[in-house]
Amino acid sequence: MTNAESSSSLYLEDLSVVDRLCWHWHDSSRIDECMQFLAKRSADIAGAENAAVFLTDETTGKLKLRAVAGAMEADKELLKGYVKQVIASKEAHAVVDGTLVLTLAADGAVQGAIVVPLTGKVSEESIKSLALLAERAALAISRAQQCQEVIKRLNIIESLLEISEAAIEDAGLSRAFRMVAERAASAVRAELTAVGLIDWNTKELHYIESFGELADRITGSRTPITEGLRRLVSKSGEPVIINDVASDGRIPEAVINKWGIRSLLIVPLRIRKKVTGVLLAANRHGGPFAIRDLRLFEAIAHHGSAAIAHAELHFSAQKTITELDSEKSKIEAVLAQLGDGVVVCDADGVIIMMNEAAEKIVGLPTSAVIGKKIFDMHPPHHRQEVEHIINQFEKSKPESGLFWEQNITLPGRKIVRINMRPVFNRSGQFTGTATVMHDVTAQVELDEIKAEFISVVAHELRTPLSALKGSLGLILGGAVGNVNPNLYELMKIAQNNCNRLIRLVDDMLDVAKIEAGYLRLEMDIISVQDRVMNAIRQMQHIADDYQIEIRTKVSGKPQPIIGDGDRIEQVMTNLLSNAIKFSPPGSAIDVTVRQLRGLIKVSVADQGPGIAPGEREMVFEKFYQGSIQSFSKEVGSGLGLAISKAIVEQHGGSIIVDSNSGKGSVFSFLLPVPAEDTKGAGSLSNKDQHTAQDGA
């Protein structure tokens, strides 16, 4: 493989990781993982020691440091200055005082920047690769944010509908007021919200309902209307944000001291242009409110006013319908701008909204699918699965984070990645689904070409390497006579490197099979204990060479499983090889085999340097070497753990790592045990895996 081909393959991997991580924009841990990956890969591509990623905070609009690779010694504010300078110049990338800055910009907006302090000259090819990576990352971030905004708007619409319904229903004003306070708190993430009605006779605000901190003390209480507050809630008053109430002067000091508030958001409640009360939100410990919070608050306040105007139900209902139509139009406008397809369904799976990108992907106009079941848009063999997924969504809770993601093949060999998520209203009730569709046909085809290329190259390399290995073995074995000691050592080095190349070729073939989806297992009834001991015997001479003791402990009666014995040995050999590479001379490696409920757990514990917390999940990524590579006795390919993970998961099991810097690492894999008749390996649920891990 040429350098260009290798660079291209790695670049495709980079884009794939960025797309996959940004897909989960609702999950802050995955965002941090994505930003950390961008920082590290940027440093690697530039050949630099350090890199950082800054993102623009959606609330404050300020740059915030989100990830650092290496030991960033430069001043954070200095780097921010570089970023602001490049953003102001409207350049995609530039070098400022020896620091490369690449803006993350998409859809006319700047999300942040990647900053790389350069330690030497960077090639034009590397800068081009970095610019493409930044461009793709910015686009992925923008699309993910837009999709989340769509879901958020759908939830807000559901809240507004519920408030309107509460006002129309003859169920008393208390329920409507309580719902307004609850939905308002959720919309702007306030620690406290309250609905207050004005008593002009006593010049007081009477708090009818409240939600959040101190709600028990606030509901039913009264506070005097000061002159400053009178101006706010007068006929001509406007909504305001007060992010420093102590210095503002319009809020009574007694209220500030009693509630302990720092920031305040107040919106008048009007009936026929007459102010009758206020809707307020306050934070005692949290951050300031933004203009976006004010707009959301105004919408909720408007619908809350309909509850106060209970005598004008018909008028308020008609007005609400008009405004909801307007909100729907706004959402449709947002959806139309998305590059990915979006399909929105109600709780029964009936399609109620679809954007233009989705039309192009499925090859059908919106008019042809609105009102039909989402199941009908999937291939026949997927329909039952989709129906089952929606049933699971209906039973789930918002905090469960449940979603369904899968590649499906549409007519014409079009391959589409489907990401379906449930939509809940503010009460936590399932109201439908939002599906994002991304055409990955080109990506899959590239992956297939890459896998085929690697497979061909690997096969072409294996034949001469096998011949070379055999020849070296014959020479070292004395087949051509005694070998000079000096030459013997050189031949031994050549043999070791030949074996290493053969292992690398085999790993590349396995990776190609995994990516192509045809890694086949030769399933049979096997003993995991026997396979573990075989692997130990194979690696014992290497451990002896490095003066490392391998200690074993097997507990419980051996239980047979359905599995591929050779592949299980391969997993064990990989774990032992890694443990030996990173273990200091004179130390020990502990191998344990345990019987758990329905599981067999195999663990390999070393006394090496350990793995930093931020790298634990990444060790199973292809070609990942990690920061502890300098401790290794030999350079690996970075493929062994990725292959091991794929093998274990194909057996219905899982592989985990427990490690702390300076305290060694424990790699464990868990395999399911069939229930008595040993006719199938079964599958390992998340619950079972957690139970096994907790009991270990």
Side-chain angles (χ1 to χ4, degrees):
M1 183 184 297
T2 66
N3 291 333
E5 290 168 333
S6 177
S7 176
S8 176
S9 296
L10 291 176
Y11 176 64
L12 288 173
E13 293 290 338
D14 294 339
L15 300 185
S16 177
V17 172
V18 170
D19 282 344
R20 186 172 69 253
L21 294 176
C22 286
W23 198 271
H24 305 276
W25 194 257
H26 67 290
D27 189 341
S28 60
S29 64
R30 300 305 296 273
I31 299 174
D32 292 337
E33 185 182 352
C34 179
M35 298 304 104
Q36 193 66 45
F37 174 83
L38 282 176
K40 185 179 184 306
R41 284 298 300 138
S42 298
D44 291 343
I45 294 172
E49 297 176 0
N50 312 304
V53 178
F54 289 84
L55 290 184
T56 303
D57 189 274
E58 293 183 30
T59 302
T60 64
K62 297 181 179 180
L63 288 170
K64 183 179 180 181
L65 182 63
R66 292 302 300 265
V68 173
M72 186 64 71
E73 297 177 358
D75 182 70
K76 181 172 66 175
E77 296 302 319
L78 179 63
L79 296 180
K80 283 185 182 179
Y82 293 161
V83 173
K84 292 177 180 178
Q85 183 177 337
V86 176
I87 291 175
S89 70
K90 297 183 179 181
E91 294 181 354
H93 62 269
V95 178
V96 183
D97 292 341
T99 299
L100 176 63
V101 180
L102 304 109
T103 59
L104 298 171
D107 301 325
V110 178
Q111 287 90 24
I114 301 172
V115 182
V116 185
L118 303 177
T119 57
K121 188 176 180 180
V122 183
S123 67
E124 289 296 326
E125 187 65 26
S126 295
I127 293 179
K128 184 179 179 181
S129 296
L130 286 168
L132 290 171
L133 182 62
E135 181 181 343
R136 184 62 171 267
L139 185 61
I141 292 171
S142 177
R143 294 292 182 263
Q145 289 174 330
Q146 289 175 1
C147 289
Q148 291 304 310
E149 185 64 24
V150 169
I151 293 176
K152 184 177 180 180
R153 284 180 174 267
L154 287 172
N155 289 333
I156 291 173
I157 287 178
E158 290 291 337
S159 296
L160 297 179
L161 281 170
E162 288 188 2
I163 292 171
S164 297
E165 291 171 357
I168 294 172
E169 294 173 359
D170 191 16
L173 294 178
S174 179
R175 175 173 173 264
F177 287 148
R178 185 167 57 253
M179 191 174 296
V180 169
E182 292 177 0
R183 301 300 185 267
S186 177
V188 300
R189 298 181 181 179
E191 297 167 355
L192 168 68
T193 55
V195 178
L197 298 184
I198 300 174
D199 187 340
W200 291 112
N201 294 322
T202 62
K203 298 180 180 179
E204 292 177 322
L205 270 177
H206 181 200
Y207 296 103
I208 305 298
E209 202 60 65
S210 61
F211 181 81
E213 295 185 13
L214 307 178
D216 293 339
R217 281 193 283 171
I218 293 173
T219 301
S221 67
R222 292 172 176 263
T223 59
I225 300 176
T226 62
E227 184 60 28
L229 193 57
R230 178 189 290 273
R231 290 197 302 270
L232 171 66
V233 299
S234 66
K235 185 177 180 179
S236 60
E238 296 293 333
V240 297
I241 296 174
I242 306 174
N243 282 324
D244 187 2
V245 295
S247 61
D248 184 85
R250 285 178 287 181
I251 308 300
E253 187 174 349
V255 176
I256 298 174
N257 295 334
K258 182 179 179 181
W259 293 5
I261 59 176
R262 297 171 56 186
S263 53
L264 191 63
L265 176 60
I266 306 177
V267 176
L269 297 174
R270 290 187 175 91
I271 303 294
R272 294 182 178 179
K273 299 183 179 181
K274 181 181 178 181
V275 175
T276 58
V278 297
L279 175 63
L280 63 86
N283 280 332
R284 305 175 69 207
H285 313 289
F289 295 107
I291 296 297
R292 181 176 59 183
D293 298 328
L294 183 62
R295 298 293 175 254
L296 290 175
F297 226 53
E298 283 184 289
I300 294 173
H302 181 77
H303 288 266
S305 297
I308 302 173
H310 193 62
E312 302 177 4
L313 295 179
H314 180 72
F315 173 80
S316 299
Q318 291 299 318
K319 195 172 184 179
T320 298
I321 292 172
T322 301
E323 291 175 353
L324 290 178
D325 286 340
S326 177
E327 287 292 330
K328 183 180 178 183
S329 299
K330 292 178 182 178
I331 292 175
E332 289 176 341
V334 173
L335 293 178
Q337 300 301 316
L338 293 178
D340 291 334
V342 178
V343 179
V344 181
C345 301
D346 63 15
D348 296 322
V350 177
I351 300 171
I352 59 176
M353 194 179 298
M354 186 171 79
N355 70 346
E356 185 177 342
E359 289 183 346
K360 294 179 180 178
I361 291 174
V362 301
L364 293 171
T366 301
S367 58
V369 299
I370 294 294
K372 294 186 177 181
K373 296 279 190 176
I374 184 68
F375 325 123
D376 298 333
M377 294 184 61
H378 290 264
H381 60 283
H382 275 297
R383 292 174 185 174
Q384 189 173 358
E385 182 180 3
V386 175
E387 188 170 4
H388 172 72
I389 291 297
I390 294 178
N391 290 334
Q392 293 298 110
F393 285 166
E394 190 173 2
K395 300 174 184 177
S396 68
K397 300 294 182 183
E399 60 271 15
S400 67
L402 192 64
F403 69 94
W404 179 67
E405 185 174 295
Q406 189 168 336
N407 287 355
I408 64 172
T409 302
L410 299 179
R413 287 184 53 81
K414 182 182 291 185
I415 302 173
V416 179
R417 180 184 296 150
I418 301 293
N419 186 288
M420 180 184 291
R421 297 177 182 275
V423 177
F424 302 91
N425 60 21
R426 297 298 181 182
S427 300
Q429 182 182 4
F430 174 73
T431 60
T433 60
T435 301
V436 180
M437 312 168 69
H438 184 66
D439 192 338
V440 294
T441 306
Q443 180 182 332
V444 171
E445 289 176 350
L446 283 173
D447 288 343
E448 290 176 352
I449 293 171
K450 183 179 69 174
E452 183 180 355
F453 174 76
I454 293 174
S455 179
V456 170
V457 171
H459 279 297
E460 291 296 322
L461 287 173
R462 178 180 283 175
T463 301
L465 284 173
S466 298
L468 182 61
K469 178 183 177 181
S471 300
L472 290 171
L474 290 172
I475 295 172
L476 292 172
V480 294
N482 294 329
V483 181
N484 180 281
N486 293 331
L487 181 60
Y488 184 90
E489 290 299 322
L490 292 174
M491 298 292 289
K492 192 69 177 177
I493 294 172
Q495 186 184 48
N496 291 335
N497 280 280
C498 182
N499 290 333
R500 181 170 171 267
L501 282 173
I502 291 174
R503 290 195 301 270
L504 178 60
V505 170
D506 289 339
D507 286 347
M508 290 176 64
L509 279 172
D510 283 342
V511 168
K513 291 175 182 178
I514 292 168
E515 292 182 342
Y518 58 80
L519 180 66
R520 300 289 183 249
L521 300 180
E522 301 293 331
M523 308 299 278
D524 200 356
I525 300 175
I526 64 169
S527 168
V528 175
Q529 291 89 337
D530 290 346
R531 295 296 182 165
V532 168
M533 297 308 298
N534 285 345
I536 292 174
R537 283 191 288 270
Q538 294 177 39
M539 301 299 296
Q540 187 65 60
H541 70 284
I542 300 176
D544 293 341
D545 290 341
Y546 291 113
Q547 302 174 17
I548 295 170
E549 180 186 3
I550 299 179
R551 301 182 302 209
T552 60
K553 182 180 179 181
V554 178
S555 61
K557 182 181 179 182
Q559 290 180 284
I561 71 165
I562 303 296
D564 188 326
D566 292 339
R567 291 295 186 180
I568 296 299
E569 282 189 27
Q570 183 181 355
V571 173
M572 193 64 198
T573 301
N574 285 336
L575 296 184
L576 286 171
S577 177
N578 278 350
I580 293 171
K581 283 195 301 183
F582 293 103
S583 294
S587 63
I589 295 172
D590 291 302
V591 178
T592 60
V593 183
R594 298 180 59 189
Q595 306 290 326
L596 304 175
R597 188 178 62 181
L599 297 169
I600 294 179
K601 181 177 182 180
V602 182
S603 300
V604 179
D606 63 52
Q607 299 173 11
I611 304 170
E615 296 184 3
R616 290 176 196 164
E617 293 301 320
M618 301 177 70
V619 297
F620 296 105
E621 298 286 341
K622 296 189 298 291
F623 304 107
Y624 184 76
Q625 298 287 344
S627 59
I628 63 169
Q629 190 61 40
S630 58
F631 295 92
S632 176
K633 299 179 181 66
E634 61 180 79
V635 179
S637 65
L639 297 174
L641 289 177
I643 294 170
S644 298
K645 183 174 184 291
I647 292 172
V648 171
E649 290 179 347
Q650 253 191 275
H651 280 80
S654 63
I655 187 167
I656 55 177
V657 60
D658 183 17
S659 181
N660 290 298
S661 296
K663 297 183 179 180
S665 304
V666 182
F667 283 85
S668 305
F669 63 92
L670 300 97
L671 299 172
V673 177
E676 297 184 2
D677 58 5
T678 68
K679 291 182 179 180
S683 61
L684 186 65
S685 68
N686 290 334
K687 182 179 178 182
D688 292 333
Q689 294 186 38
H690 290 311
T691 302
Q693 296 169 25
D694 294 341

